[in-house]
């Protein structure tokens, strides 16, 4: 469970960097004034900044539940091939979700990938809770 956890945390850190760069770029390009980011008040962000920011916000919805599952699994200690498979499935689904979200952002594709991630997360928790 350690490796999928590390990769999930890497994705979250990466998106912090992407959002920071997008926001810097929007200010440097003159699309958004720097003071906009003090209160997010006034003119809206460009679409590429909003997509990256929204994705980062999404990474604080389901992934913390995954992170908690990893911590519980490590503390038990409990692991299985199925648990590892589901953990990797969740992490891959979150990477794909992020790529879809910050690029072409088709809602149906994004929703399908999100649902796949939820499936893996539910399977992880069912297995962990059955071992407690």
């Amino acid at each position: 469970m350690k490796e999928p956890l590390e990769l999930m945390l890497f994705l979250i850190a990466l998106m912090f960097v992407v959002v920071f760069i997008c926001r810097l770029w929007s200010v440097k390009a003159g699309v958004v004034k720097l003071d906009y980011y003090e209160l997010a008040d006034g003119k809206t962000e460009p679409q590429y900044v909003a997509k990256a920011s929204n994705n980062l916000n999404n990474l604080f919805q389901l992934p913390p539940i995954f992170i908690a599952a990893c911590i519980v699994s490590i503390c038990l200690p409990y692991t299985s091939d199925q648990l590892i498979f589901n953990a990797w499935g969740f992490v891959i689904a979150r990477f794909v979700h992020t790529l879809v979200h910050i690029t072409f952002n088709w809602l149906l594709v994004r929703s399908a990938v999100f649902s796949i991630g939820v499936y893996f997360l539910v399977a992880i928790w069912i297995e962990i809770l059955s071992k407690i």
Side-chain angles (χ1 to χ4, degrees):
M1 292 295 282
K2 181 183 169 212
E3 291 81 8
L5 173 61
E6 289 172 342
L7 196 55
M8 187 75 252
L9 294 173
F10 171 77
L11 176 60
I12 293 168
L14 177 64
M15 284 310 299
F16 268 112
V17 172
V18 168
V19 169
F20 179 75
I21 290 169
C22 287
R23 288 179 176 175
L24 231 94
W25 182 264
S26 71
V27 170
K28 184 174 168 113
V31 179
V32 176
K33 293 188 180 201
L34 183 59
D35 62 352
Y36 168 80
Y37 292 110
E38 289 177 10
L39 296 174
D41 190 33
K43 187 178 176 183
T44 59
E45 297 175 305
Q47 191 175 35
Y48 66 92
V49 179
K51 286 196 278 186
S53 296
N54 289 344
N55 184 262
L56 181 60
N57 288 337
N58 285 168
L59 290 173
F60 286 94
Q61 294 170 3
L62 281 186
I65 300 169
F66 170 74
I67 292 167
C70 290
I71 292 168
V72 169
S73 171
I74 291 167
C75 289
L76 279 177
Y78 172 77
T79 192
S80 71
D81 290 341
Q82 187 66 35
L83 190 63
I84 299 298
F85 175 83
N86 288 327
W88 280 115
F90 178 79
V91 171
I92 291 166
R94 292 312 301 186
F95 267 86
V96 172
H97 181 270
T98 292
L99 287 173
V100 170
H101 202 177
I102 66 174
T103 57
F104 58 88
N105 199 25
W106 291 346
L107 182 60
L108 292 178
V109 174
R110 199 174 89 218
S111 297
V113 174
F114 179 84
S115 297
I116 292 167
V118 168
Y119 167 81
F120 284 120
L121 188 58
V122 168
I124 288 167
W125 272 106
I126 288 171
E127 184 171 353
I128 287 175
L129 291 173
S130 73
K131 301 303 175 188
I132 293 179

